[in-house]
Amino acid sequence: NNVKKPRKAEAQRRLGIPEGKVVHLFFGLIRPYKGLDVLLQALAQTDDAHMVVVAGECYGSWEPYQSTIGALGLGDRVMVHNEFIEDQLVPVYLGAADHVVLPYKAASQSGVTALALHHDVPVIASDVGDLASTVVPELTGRLVPAGDATRLAEAMTRPWTAQPNDVQAAFKEVKKRLSWPQFATQMTTQGPSEE
């Protein structure tokens, strides 16, 4: 997928995201172990500048998430695209995001981390499985304890203070370490469609 990620303002405009929002992207198939419920609880602990974009197909019922959104009063702060995301739209979602959030409760390989890395988008992930392998703390992402909405909210709202060139160097380094062939295999065998 060599589609270039659009600039943030353009990507957000295309998705209808209001200006000036901090966008937390939850991307890929929605399954219980992926912790979307934890992300919603974390969002409720942040101010109105923060919103979550959910982009991916829900396996099982969407209803529990919808009632959580309602109960927490997050209706206008959660944008839901509960459907398979076509390849050409992937860079738009990643382009609109300040970071990708992977609040997984259980270990899992994640094609989403590979996508985020590919597009230089930092990841806030649970410290489970191999999610940590692509995270250089405060440069390519942050790790939080699984299932801890308060710590997740803190990680989502704390400013990123690293120098841009340090961040770029870290992304480059991780990509090199993962090596392109391995990265490509992960992208093709575990793209968002199957992961």
Side-chain angles (χ1 to χ4, degrees):
N1 179 352
N2 286 326
V3 187
K4 233 170 83 63
K5 165 180 98 164
R7 297 169 70 100
K8 188 176 285 177
E10 165 64 11
Q12 292 185 349
R13 193 183 56 72
R14 282 176 62 183
L15 294 175
I17 294 167
E19 264 181 66
K21 292 287 186 187
V22 179
V23 177
H24 308 280
L25 177 63
F26 181 95
F27 190 88
L29 291 181
I30 303 161
R31 299 178 188 265
Y33 75 86
K34 291 194 178 179
L36 177 56
D37 53 335
V38 179
L39 175 54
L40 294 172
Q41 289 156 16
L43 181 65
Q45 297 177 40
T46 67
D47 65 41
D48 286 353
H50 295 264
M51 70 176 286
V52 165
V53 173
V54 178
E57 224 168 333
C58 186
Y59 266 54
S61 172
W62 173 252
E63 181 42 45
Y65 300 111
Q66 195 55 55
S67 49
T68 299
I69 291 168
L72 295 173
L74 297 173
D76 54 349
R77 293 175 59 201
V78 180
M79 179 180 276
V80 180
H81 294 244
N82 180 2
E83 61 202 6
F84 173 76
I85 305 300
E86 297 296 336
D87 286 351
Q88 67 273 19
L89 283 174
V90 172
V92 179
Y93 282 96
L94 286 158
D98 286 276
H99 36 253
V100 172
V101 187
L102 301 162
Y104 292 14
K105 298 173 182 181
S108 160
Q109 274 277 345
S110 174
V112 180
T113 46
L115 282 173
L117 198 62
H118 180 64
H119 291 284
D120 295 350
V121 179
V123 164
I124 296 175
S126 300
D127 196 358
V128 293
D130 72 342
L131 292 180
S133 67
T134 58
V135 174
V136 180
E138 295 308 303
L139 294 171
T140 65
R142 291 179 175 149
L143 292 172
V144 295
D148 189 333
T150 303
R151 293 281 293 279
L152 180 58
E154 192 274 326
M156 286 160 57
T157 52
R158 184 159 27 101
W160 297 87
T161 55
Q163 296 301 314
N165 43 357
D166 293 344
V167 173
Q168 282 163 347
F171 272 107
K172 217 175 255 162
E173 185 49 48
V174 175
K175 287 180 201 177
K176 201 160 65 194
R177 183 166 38 117
L178 284 180
S179 86
W180 184 247
Q182 186 187 347
F183 188 65
T185 306
Q186 194 180 358
M187 293 280 280
T188 50
T189 56
Q190 290 199 281
S193 49
E194 286 128 41
E195 71 103 16

